[in-house]
Amino acid sequence: MYARISKISAVNEMQLNMFIETYKNVGAKTAMKAGALQLTITKIEKEKAYLIAVFPNKKIATERFQGIQDNLKQVKEFIKLEISEGEVVFNQNSLTHNK
């Protein structure tokens, strides 16, 4: 698995909430159709959050990332994004953990 982690910094809480709602209603649907396995947004401050997108492999993650470059340009006009990525080396949740 391969993850792309975006640190999102908005000017204020309202702007971040607008981004999150737009992502939930538009971006998440296209990411899942493009092959994402999991999408998580974690709000860490009033105007900051992390978006974690997990894909089956780097190829699918890269194809998805290349496909949204125009959208990213628009988002970067009002939201600061810092993107990191890498191979998932450990993942455990209640769906995969044997009790």
Side-chain angles (χ1 to χ4, degrees):
M1 288 189 295
Y2 197 80
R4 180 161 281 117
I5 301 141
S6 303
K7 182 178 180 184
I8 303 158
S9 300
V11 173
N12 56 47
E13 186 175 15
M14 181 201 257
Q15 188 180 55
L16 178 63
N17 289 339
M18 288 175 23
F19 170 84
I20 291 169
E21 287 305 313
T22 300
Y23 187 82
K24 286 179 3 184
N25 293 306
V26 179
K29 292 175 185 172
T30 59
M32 295 303 282
K33 285 181 185 174
L37 300 173
Q38 178 180 330
L39 302 168
T40 304
I41 296 177
T42 303
K43 198 170 186 180
I44 58 170
E45 292 180 29
K46 287 183 179 183
E47 69 285 336
K48 294 182 182 182
Y50 284 104
L51 165 60
I52 303 167
V54 178
F55 296 88
N57 56 52
K58 184 177 181 177
K59 180 182 179 208
I60 292 172
T62 301
E63 288 171 358
R64 164 72 178 147
F65 191 66
Q66 290 171 345
I68 62 166
Q69 289 304 306
D70 288 340
N71 293 356
L72 280 178
K73 287 178 188 176
Q74 292 175 1
V75 169
K76 286 182 177 181
E77 290 177 10
F78 62 93
I79 298 276
K80 181 180 175 189
L81 291 175
E82 296 176 39
I83 301 171
S84 301
E85 59 184 72
E87 180 184 353
V88 175
V89 294
F90 178 78
N91 178 45
Q92 181 175 325
N93 60 49
S94 62
L95 299 175
T96 61
H97 180 69
N98 294 327
K99 295 180 180 182

